[in-house]
Amino acid sequence: MEDTKTIATDELLMEQLTNRNWSDFWIRLMGRCAWLLRKRYGVKWPNSELQDFSRNAISETIDKIFVSKKRKWNLDSYPEFEKFIVSALDSHVNNTLNKKSSEVEAGENDYLLDNNNEIELSQADIIISNELRKEIFDELSKAGADDDELMVFDCLVEGIDKPEDIRTELGLTEENFHNIWRRLKRKRDVIQKKLAANGY
């Protein structure tokens, strides 16, 4: 059976745009960005730079949802608009930081690259809701993923995407991690299909 998804209509989007206290919501989104940048990504920017980045990220996310319509609101995954926009903002922040980053040394993400040196499973693709996370876990389990593979995937979901950091987090040797990662990569289609079905 094919995955189906219910995408919000323009009318529903307009209701969210016009019937919401955006002043209060904007402040909460700014707080979310600050938390992401400080806690998840460990940035050391001064407050002014952090606030500028956050304002731009929120504006660009809103544009993708309401203007260019590049980001679709999947009502099945996110019945509540606020949870949807927070998820969209999380992804946008991650994508923006990945593009800005010039500090990753060559070879640091070797395990994440295919033969064309393209990212196969990146953190940008799996900043997801707890509900979708559980669905992907279930799909991976059905596809034969073992506990080690699920723990590595869990690290990716939590934003730990560098091989050395994952190995440290899970207490794995380099050989064990490499073997686990190869097994998980074989199941990447399971993850990508589930993400695509949910608007990622």
Side-chain angles (χ1 to χ4, degrees):
M1 179 182 294
E2 293 186 1
D3 288 320
T4 59
K5 52 187 177 180
T6 306
I7 302 301
T9 62
D10 288 344
E11 290 76 14
L12 185 54
L13 283 172
M14 187 56 63
E15 286 180 19
Q16 298 298 327
L17 188 61
T18 56
N19 297 332
R20 181 171 299 279
N21 185 333
W22 280 94
S23 295
D24 289 345
F25 192 34
W26 186 275
I27 292 171
R28 295 204 302 275
L29 291 175
M30 287 287 288
R32 173 66 180 182
C33 269
W35 181 88
L36 282 173
L37 294 168
R38 295 286 197 215
K39 300 298 184 181
R40 180 176 290 173
Y41 299 103
V43 302
K44 305 297 183 183
W45 304 338
N47 284 337
S48 59
E49 186 175 349
L50 184 141
Q51 290 172 4
D52 286 344
F53 179 95
S54 298
R55 277 192 290 270
N56 288 334
I58 295 167
S59 296
E60 289 163 5
T61 300
I62 290 172
D63 180 83
K64 283 186 175 184
I65 295 169
F66 292 105
V67 181
S68 67
K69 308 288 179 68
K70 292 179 180 177
R71 185 65 188 252
K72 305 295 184 183
W73 177 13
N74 183 340
L75 295 168
D76 297 327
S77 297
Y78 300 99
E80 297 177 23
F81 176 75
E82 292 197 10
K83 290 184 178 179
F84 158 66
I85 199 170
V86 166
S87 173
L89 178 61
D90 285 7
S91 293
H92 186 69
V93 167
N94 184 76
N95 291 337
T96 303
L97 288 175
N98 281 348
K99 289 176 184 176
K100 285 168 65 75
S101 176
S102 59
E103 299 174 358
V104 177
E105 297 178 2
E108 187 171 5
N109 284 328
D110 283 348
Y111 292 117
L112 305 182
L113 303 176
D114 64 11
N115 292 332
N116 298 317
N117 285 334
E118 294 176 349
I119 297 292
E120 293 183 323
L121 289 175
S122 73
Q123 182 188 349
D125 291 328
I126 43 185
I127 298 236
I128 56 178
S129 69
N130 286 333
E131 180 182 351
L132 180 54
R133 175 179 182 164
K134 183 180 183 306
E135 290 178 12
I136 294 177
F137 264 58
D138 291 343
E139 292 294 326
L140 285 171
S141 295
K142 290 177 186 175
D146 58 26
D147 289 343
D148 289 334
E149 292 168 75
L150 294 175
M151 284 193 299
V152 169
F153 179 72
D154 191 46
C155 285
L156 292 167
V157 173
E158 292 297 328
I160 307 169
D161 63 347
K162 294 183 175 65
E164 184 60 37
D165 292 342
I166 295 175
R167 290 198 297 269
T168 300
E169 179 73 15
L170 300 179
L172 299 169
T173 65
E174 185 170 350
E175 181 180 0
N176 284 342
F177 173 80
H178 184 66
N179 290 334
I180 294 165
W181 183 254
R182 282 193 303 179
R183 297 199 304 273
L184 182 59
K185 278 175 62 176
R186 294 190 196 110
K187 302 174 182 70
R188 64 185 179 273
D189 287 346
V190 172
I191 301 170
Q192 290 168 338
K193 285 178 182 178
K194 199 66 180 176
L195 290 170
N198 284 273
Y200 286 83

